[in-house]
Amino acid sequence: MEPSQEYMYAHVSIDCAIFGFDGNELNILLIEKEGTAAQKLPGSLIYQMEDTDSAAGRVLCELTGIRKMSLRQFRCFSSPDRAMDPDDVVWLEKTYGRPVGRLITIAYLSLCRINRTLSAAARRKAARWCPVSDLPAMPFDHNRIAEEALCEIRQWTESEPAMLFELLPVKFTMAELRALYEAIYLRRFDIRNFCKKIARIPYIVRLDEKQTDVAHRAAHYYKFDRIAYNQLRQSM
């Protein structure tokens, strides 16, 4: 059999791209690559008797302490050279105690409010929120995974906009909503045109309540109305 026709022997891993919004920037959760100064996405090899969804939940809980977060599988990364860097190979074999050749990862994506408390395990792993505009060089292909995850979020913005409100407080201002869109698309939006567009969306409801204790003119709060959203989706 020709070398190019040999069947693949591979390990399968999970990597989680967890995004949060701090009111100004979109951030992604990174952890320490154990024993090094590098940082990476939370991830792990899959156990023998584990499916990918269960593995993603385990990885997130073990490495960050976050439970009951909605994780959505968005892509498989299977390039033959994913784990060809000698430093990455040595780290993998030391971490898992076995040779790891071809490495395929199933990538999961989730959005959460950035104020969620990280566990003591996360602190031991030096977990931190990193602005997507200032990502370090990461091992394997984790920079590419992060970039592809951001592209996926942009698609959600168009097809499932309800997902975006996982990143915002229950009550938010128009400025916070615009800042979120700007963080996702990495560009500025005209304030007047943005407000006009949002005013036409029935599931973004302006409240009578305004900001308090602010130095500038108090802005109205808004909320996401899931009932109105579902009704709109059903009518489409």
Side-chain angles (χ1 to χ4, degrees):
M1 180 179 292
E2 295 293 328
S4 61
Q5 295 177 311
E6 291 179 1
Y7 291 113
M8 177 179 62
Y9 175 75
H11 285 84
V12 181
S13 66
I14 291 293
D15 285 307
C16 298
I18 311 301
F19 288 87
F21 181 60
D22 65 6
N24 293 301
E25 291 191 86
L26 197 63
N27 290 255
I28 190 168
L29 188 65
L30 302 181
I31 64 167
E32 178 184 70
K33 183 185 176 188
E34 192 170 349
T36 75
Q39 291 188 306
K40 68 183 192 72
L41 301 177
S44 170
L45 294 181
I46 298 174
Y47 293 152
Q48 183 68 29
M49 301 303 294
E50 193 175 43
D51 62 39
T52 57
D53 288 350
S54 299
R58 171 180 61 82
V59 165
L60 190 63
C61 183
E62 286 181 353
L63 297 180
T64 69
I66 298 174
R67 297 176 182 269
K68 296 181 179 179
M69 181 185 291
S70 175
L71 283 160
R72 188 177 294 195
Q73 186 182 130
F74 77 96
R75 182 154 178 200
C76 172
F77 292 82
S78 59
S79 172
D81 59 2
R82 288 195 69 243
M84 295 296 288
D85 185 289
D87 290 339
D88 291 337
V89 172
V90 170
W91 181 83
L92 281 168
E93 294 182 354
K94 180 179 179 180
T95 300
Y96 294 104
R98 65 185 66 187
V100 178
R102 183 75 177 272
L103 183 64
I104 294 174
T105 198
I106 310 297
Y108 280 76
L109 173 59
S110 187
L111 309 178
C112 77
R113 295 188 177 96
I114 207 166
N115 60 356
R116 295 196 66 160
T117 302
L118 300 178
S119 69
R123 292 191 288 275
R124 287 196 300 273
K125 293 285 187 179
R128 72 180 182 99
W129 291 103
C130 177
V132 296
S133 61
D134 191 30
L135 285 176
M138 293 187 282
F140 309 108
D141 53 357
H142 286 196
N143 287 85
R144 184 186 173 200
I145 293 174
E147 291 170 4
E148 294 287 345
L150 183 55
C151 290
E152 186 74 8
I153 293 173
R154 290 172 184 152
Q155 291 183 27
W156 288 0
T157 302
E158 303 299 328
S159 63
E160 299 180 68
M163 300 291 293
L164 294 183
F165 297 94
E166 297 295 328
L167 292 165
L168 289 167
V170 175
K171 295 183 296 184
F172 52 87
T173 65
M174 185 68 72
E176 287 174 320
L177 181 59
R178 190 183 77 256
L180 174 57
Y181 272 82
E182 291 177 343
I184 290 171
Y185 286 100
L186 299 177
R187 67 179 180 88
R188 295 292 184 184
F189 285 81
D190 178 80
I191 295 175
R192 182 174 297 179
N193 290 338
F194 183 84
C195 291
K196 286 181 179 179
K197 179 179 178 180
I198 296 302
R200 294 193 295 267
I201 300 176
Y203 54 79
I204 300 178
V205 180
R206 193 172 91 159
L207 305 175
D208 292 333
E209 186 178 352
K210 288 186 176 183
Q211 292 175 304
T212 58
D213 300 324
V214 291
H216 52 77
R217 182 180 177 183
H220 275 277
Y221 282 113
Y222 291 76
K223 72 171 185 178
F224 169 63
D225 188 330
R226 184 166 292 279
I227 294 176
Y229 176 81
N230 289 337
Q231 290 173 343
L232 180 64
R233 299 281 287 186
Q234 291 168 6
S235 67
M236 295 173 65

